Amino acid sequence: TQLVRESCQNYKRREKKDGACKCKFNLCLQFNSVLLTVLCTLPQLLPCILSVWSTAFLLGYVAFRGMCRLCGNNGDLIPLSDAAGAQHSAEGGVMYMAELREMLKKYLKEERIEDTLSRASHPPGSSEGNAVAREILQNLQNLRMDHTWTDSHYATLQFPSRTQPNALWLVDSEGAELEEIPLDSEGYCAYSATGTATGGVVYVNYGRSEDFEQLRAMGIALNGSIAVARVGGAVSFAEKVWHAQEAGLGGVLISPDPADVPQDTRRLGLHSNAVISEHVHLGSGDPFTPGFPSFNHTQFPSTQSSGLPIIPAQPISANVASKLLSQLSGAGCPRGWQGRLPYVQCVLGPGFTGPSERRVKMAVYNTMKPVLLNNIFASIEGKVESDHYIIIGAQRDSWGPGAVKSGVGTALLMELARTFSNMVENGFYPRRSLLFVSWDGGEFGNVGATEWLEGYLTMLHLKAVAYFSLDQAILGDDILSVYTSPLLADLIEGALKQVCVSYSFFLQSSVAVKPLYLNSGAYSFTAFGGVPAMQLHFTEEARSYPFVNTQLDSVGRLQELLQGRLGSVGRAVAELVGLMVLRLSYDQLLPLDVTLSHLSFSVCQSRGLSPQWVFSARGDYSRAAKNLHEAIKNSDIQDERLARLYNTRIMRVEYYFLSQYLSVVETPFRHVFNGRGDHTLSALADHVSLLRSAPHLFDEARFRRQLALFTWTLQGAANALSGDVWNIDNPL
């Protein structure tokens, strides 16, 4: 024992001198050599000495493993103390995952999350927004990241006119203005069509496709009318306007209803004159450069997104909605459409009560403006696969104070960047690179993130491992909604098991796993870029946080909702995301689930149209996934060449779910499962369902095209997963 102590003291002195010490294995070899010498000279005491030797070996291992627990390929020790963090070389060893989890918990600070949240309004291109950008860049530079930089784009954004505010009037049958209805000057729908629209008023509930189908079935006159839709219904403003436009309406007014958005100011609700603003572009990114980047040096031909509306849209308050709807005449509302607006007996319109034939006239005068957007990046380089990136990002800009909309995400982003930087300084060497990104232009449809994807899509192919969006991560603490690519489903499940142990409210929370949605900060990464992506939302079960997209979205109100626990909830969410990032950056093989067992392929057979090729493609894919799993299980995954080969095949999967048979300009969201368009599995299933609900609307030629697009995209993914061309199953 004395020999071992002296030996370890010598190593510690040597470590101070040249920054290295031998590992526990070498130390134990020296100890063993001494004992073996004793064994050779005292054979008669062999049984006793063997017993003593075994006991001493185990005791020595336990006693000194704290000093020499981390060994690299060359036998160097990586010290874990804070003081020694910046003194070891990049050729150091690898920590165990349990140690990394503890290190992550140690460095995450909830008070830092709260301190980052106090913000005033800071829209893109404003002096306040530029000041926030400079502060974030400086903070990231202070963390001593491997790289920090900005990525700039010139995007066309829409703002309220400074000279001509949007307006709303009641007019007579001749169009003469009878009464102007006051509007909130700060509330607007970015990318609305401009101009005026006049017509009767039709209440359309949430403005979902099924709502308009019900109105048509009831024979309600829609053409040329002005729709009043309520916020919510699991559809965005853009989808409400799109459905109204498709139904032939001339304009859309969107209001909060007390049934969906709390409006008792004494109990953390909106006041009755508040409006909720949101963009109405049915897409992502700059709508005037669809599918390609808005760099200043590019000169693409003039075009615009098909998702831009051609009818005006404007948010209104509950008071304005109540004033309009309380005067409607016509058929009564279907069951379930009744909201809680005061003085409103739910009828559909489009006429008004009273002797004169009145209508509504709306005018939208928003103006387009080119704005310089600056995305801010910082990175920690991976030590083995530096060209593979795990990306964590958050929206930075906000129309109002934006505590939930941008503040929470930015605070979590900065805290995770600081935490991982500290971990690297204290012994953590990520296998793959980490990118921390503050996005600009998020309020207008994730413009900054989408433009970056469009600009570097070919470069990101087979390099971006996964993306985590921190936008709107905290709106409560009762229900955790996980919007994710299926490839990350197993990863979140494992991380939740770790976090639930540390935070009591996680044990009481329910978890819902859902597909990515259009307005999600993660959507473009999967649907456009073919990168597995995830976004988390913590919400309240009893009441929703009503202040998102309003001028009332402040830290004080969010703290009131959470009863002062914003810091602890934020730390829990940061730890949850951090654990997933750890796995992706640390594991030898990427922990992505490439199976399709969760997906339904229920495409019926009728009219002689057989979906056998869909099932054949799915079978090929399933066999390829199974063969890959078996190959990994029977291989030496410590072989770096093999590990990289398998990781490359795993990373191909999401990308090859982007249909290669469509134009990225005309159909930017080409993903067959998470995208939008006729090529998707959901569109195929909806079309086939017409065979039962409305056979006269079924289009056989369209069906054949849909079937071919989906089948060959899935078959291509199966072929890519198989590996090389000689591994593809092509029987004679």
Side-chain angles (χ1 to χ4, degrees):
T1 302
Q2 182 63 26
L3 175 63
V4 175
R5 288 186 187 277
E6 291 175 358
S7 215
C8 223
Q9 290 298 325
N10 289 335
Y11 291 141
K12 289 177 72 176
R13 284 192 292 271
R14 195 183 312 161
E15 179 193 358
K16 291 180 180 179
K17 182 177 180 181
D18 60 14
C21 87
K22 292 296 180 182
C23 217
K24 61 175 179 261
F25 183 70
N26 293 335
L27 185 147
C28 292
L29 282 178
Q30 289 195 8
F31 186 39
N32 293 346
S33 66
V34 175
L35 290 174
L36 287 172
T37 303
V38 175
L39 288 175
C40 292
T41 57
L42 298 172
Q44 66 273 22
L45 299 177
L46 181 61
C48 294
I49 292 175
L50 278 174
S51 176
V52 172
W53 174 78
S54 301
T55 303
F57 179 88
L58 293 174
L59 287 174
Y61 176 82
V62 172
F64 296 109
R65 64 177 178 173
M67 295 182 196
C68 303
R69 57 180 146 177
L70 302 170
C71 299
N73 295 331
N74 59 359
D76 290 344
L77 175 85
I78 300 178
L80 289 182
S81 68
D82 292 344
Q87 297 175 2
H88 51 72
S89 68
E91 288 74 27
V94 179
M95 290 182 173
Y96 296 107
M97 180 57 76
E99 294 173 304
L100 294 176
R101 286 197 296 261
E102 290 304 314
M103 185 181 279
L104 178 72
K105 292 178 183 179
K106 173 183 176 182
Y107 289 118
L108 280 173
K109 305 294 182 184
E110 61 185 61
E111 62 272 13
R112 289 180 177 268
I113 295 173
E114 294 188 40
D115 292 344
T116 312
L117 278 170
S118 299
R119 294 285 178 210
S121 177
H122 45 283
S126 66
S127 57
E128 297 85 357
N130 292 334
V132 173
R134 287 192 295 269
E135 179 184 342
I136 289 174
L137 179 61
Q138 184 62 59
N139 288 340
L140 290 172
Q141 289 172 338
N142 292 342
L143 292 177
R144 290 180 290 177
M145 294 281 185
D146 291 320
H147 309 280
T148 54
W149 71 98
T150 60
D151 176 74
S152 299
H153 299 265
Y154 286 86
T156 304
L157 309 182
Q158 192 186 61
F159 298 92
S161 171
R162 294 182 178 180
T163 58
Q164 195 171 16
N166 298 342
L168 186 67
W169 299 273
L170 283 174
V171 299
D172 63 18
S173 58
E174 302 299 323
E177 297 171 4
L178 301 173
E179 177 188 356
E180 183 172 0
I181 302 174
L183 296 177
D184 186 325
S185 61
E186 294 183 330
Y188 81 113
C189 292
Y191 297 127
S192 164
T194 56
T196 62
T198 304
V201 171
V202 177
Y203 173 56
V204 299
N205 196 25
Y206 293 112
R208 301 169 299 190
S209 58
E210 56 264 37
D211 294 333
F212 284 103
E213 288 173 9
Q214 194 159 3
L215 289 169
R216 280 189 288 263
M218 295 175 66
I220 304 299
L222 299 177
N223 284 347
S225 297
I226 305 297
V228 173
R230 58 203 264 201
V231 172
V235 287
S236 66
F237 280 28
E239 291 167 298
K240 297 176 194 293
V241 175
W242 180 263
H243 294 148
Q245 178 177 298
E246 291 288 289
L249 283 100
V252 184
L253 302 170
I254 305 172
S255 76
D257 190 293
D260 310 297
V261 183
Q263 293 191 331
D264 183 351
T265 55
R266 296 168 299 177
R267 301 184 62 186
L268 202 66
L270 289 179
H271 57 76
S272 57
N273 284 318
V275 299
I276 297 176
S277 298
E278 192 175 299
H279 77 90
V280 290
H281 171 216
L282 191 67
S284 186
D286 184 347
F288 298 96
T289 60
F292 47 83
S294 53
F295 290 128
N296 193 39
H297 57 268
T298 56
Q299 297 296 327
F300 288 100
S302 178
T303 185
Q304 67 180 42
S305 167
S306 59
L308 279 176
I310 60 174
I311 61 175
Q314 174 69 25
I316 58 175
S317 67
N319 277 350
V320 172
S322 181
K323 180 180 179 67
L324 295 176
L325 298 181
S326 64
Q327 301 181 60
L328 289 187
S329 63
C333 293
R335 186 174 181 178
W337 285 34
Q338 176 73 57
R340 295 180 189 166
L341 289 171
Y343 314 114
V344 173
Q345 184 178 0
C346 194
V347 294
L348 298 174
F352 281 85
T353 59
S356 63
E357 185 181 338
R358 290 175 296 166
R359 297 181 297 168
V360 162
K361 177 182 177 181
M362 61 181 296
V364 174
Y365 302 113
N366 303 337
T367 58
M368 297 292 183
K369 178 183 176 182
V371 175
L372 175 63
L373 302 182
N374 290 300
N375 299 322
I376 300 172
F377 289 78
S379 68
I380 297 173
E381 279 196 43
K383 306 307 176 185
V384 180
E385 302 174 31
S386 62
D387 58 337
H388 289 168
Y389 321 135
I390 296 94
I391 310 170
I392 310 101
Q395 169 185 330
R396 182 178 71 249
D397 60 298
S398 176
W399 283 324
V404 160
K405 196 65 186 289
S406 63
V408 164
T410 298
L412 295 177
L413 175 72
M414 299 305 294
E415 182 58 13
L416 283 168
R418 187 194 64 80
T419 297
F420 277 101
S421 176
N422 284 348
M423 290 174 65
V424 168
E425 289 182 356
N426 288 276
F428 169 49
Y429 288 113
R431 181 182 182 87
R432 302 173 186 93
S433 297
L434 305 180
L435 266 64
F436 302 91
V437 196
S438 175
W439 303 114
D440 206 355
E443 290 281 26
F444 296 82
N446 305 301
V447 177
T450 304
E451 295 307 306
W452 181 74
L453 276 172
E454 290 173 345
Y456 301 101
L457 184 60
T458 53
M459 182 179 178
L460 291 171
H461 175 44
L462 294 184
K463 290 192 175 185
V465 174
Y467 175 71
F468 294 92
S469 171
L470 304 173
D471 294 342
Q472 301 183 56
I474 303 174
L475 301 100
D477 62 1
D478 289 335
I479 301 171
L480 178 63
S481 296
V482 181
Y483 301 89
T484 183
S485 160
L487 273 69
L488 297 171
D490 286 351
L491 196 65
I492 182 67
E493 183 180 343
L496 278 169
K497 291 177 182 177
Q498 296 290 334
V499 177
C500 283
V501 177
S502 305
Y503 301 94
S504 59
F505 59 82
F506 260 117
L507 297 174
Q508 302 165 2
S509 301
S510 59
V511 180
V513 179
K514 305 176 183 180
L516 293 166
Y517 60 96
L518 180 60
N519 256 14
S520 162
Y523 182 80
S524 291
F525 277 83
T526 296
F528 176 80
V531 177
M534 179 185 293
Q535 181 162 341
L536 308 175
H537 288 324
F538 240 135
T539 57
E540 290 289 290
E541 183 176 20
R543 54 180 177 171
S544 63
Y545 179 79
F547 305 113
V548 178
N549 292 325
T550 75
Q551 297 295 322
L552 304 172
D553 182 15
S554 66
V555 177
R557 290 183 174 89
L558 182 57
Q559 280 283 29
E560 184 180 348
L561 180 78
L562 295 170
Q563 299 179 345
R565 294 183 294 115
L566 175 58
S568 60
V569 177
R571 187 178 186 278
V573 174
E575 185 176 329
L576 182 61
V577 175
L579 287 173
M580 292 186 282
V581 171
L582 268 181
R583 284 286 312 279
L584 288 167
S585 64
Y586 172 88
D587 284 9
Q588 187 93 351
L589 288 175
L590 289 170
L592 300 177
D593 179 12
V594 298
T595 67
L596 294 181
S597 57
H598 59 286
L599 292 172
S600 171
F601 286 77
S602 55
V603 180
C604 69
Q605 181 172 345
S606 183
R607 294 193 179 186
L609 302 173
S610 174
Q612 62 174 323
W613 293 112
V614 172
F615 296 110
S616 174
R618 186 192 179 186
D620 287 347
Y621 182 91
S622 298
R623 282 190 294 276
K626 182 180 179 181
N627 291 340
L628 177 60
H629 177 74
E630 290 297 321
I632 291 173
K633 189 168 66 173
N634 296 322
S635 300
D636 177 15
I637 61 170
Q638 300 305 318
D639 184 323
E640 290 295 343
R641 186 190 66 83
L642 274 179
R644 189 171 183 91
L645 177 66
Y646 289 138
N647 284 334
T648 299
R649 288 167 65 181
I650 291 170
M651 288 177 66
R652 283 185 179 135
V653 171
E654 197 80 82
Y655 183 84
Y656 284 109
F657 287 148
L658 303 180
S659 178
Q660 306 300 307
Y661 309 102
L662 298 169
S663 163
V664 69
V665 174
E666 296 174 1
T667 310
F669 303 125
R670 296 173 295 148
H671 201 288
V672 292
F673 297 118
N674 292 305
R676 295 182 65 88
D678 228 27
H679 62 288
T680 61
L681 178 61
S682 59
L684 175 61
D686 289 344
H687 190 191
V688 171
S689 69
L690 294 176
L691 287 171
R692 295 190 181 93
S693 61
H696 62 285
L697 297 177
F698 182 82
D699 183 339
E700 182 175 328
R702 177 189 170 201
F703 172 78
R704 290 185 182 279
R705 174 175 168 79
Q706 287 178 303
L707 196 62
L709 284 172
F710 178 77
T711 300
W712 281 107
T713 301
L714 182 58
Q715 186 65 58
N719 295 343
L721 192 60
S722 295
D724 295 300
V725 290
W726 50 81
N727 293 322
I728 298 172
D729 184 15
N730 287 314
L732 296 176

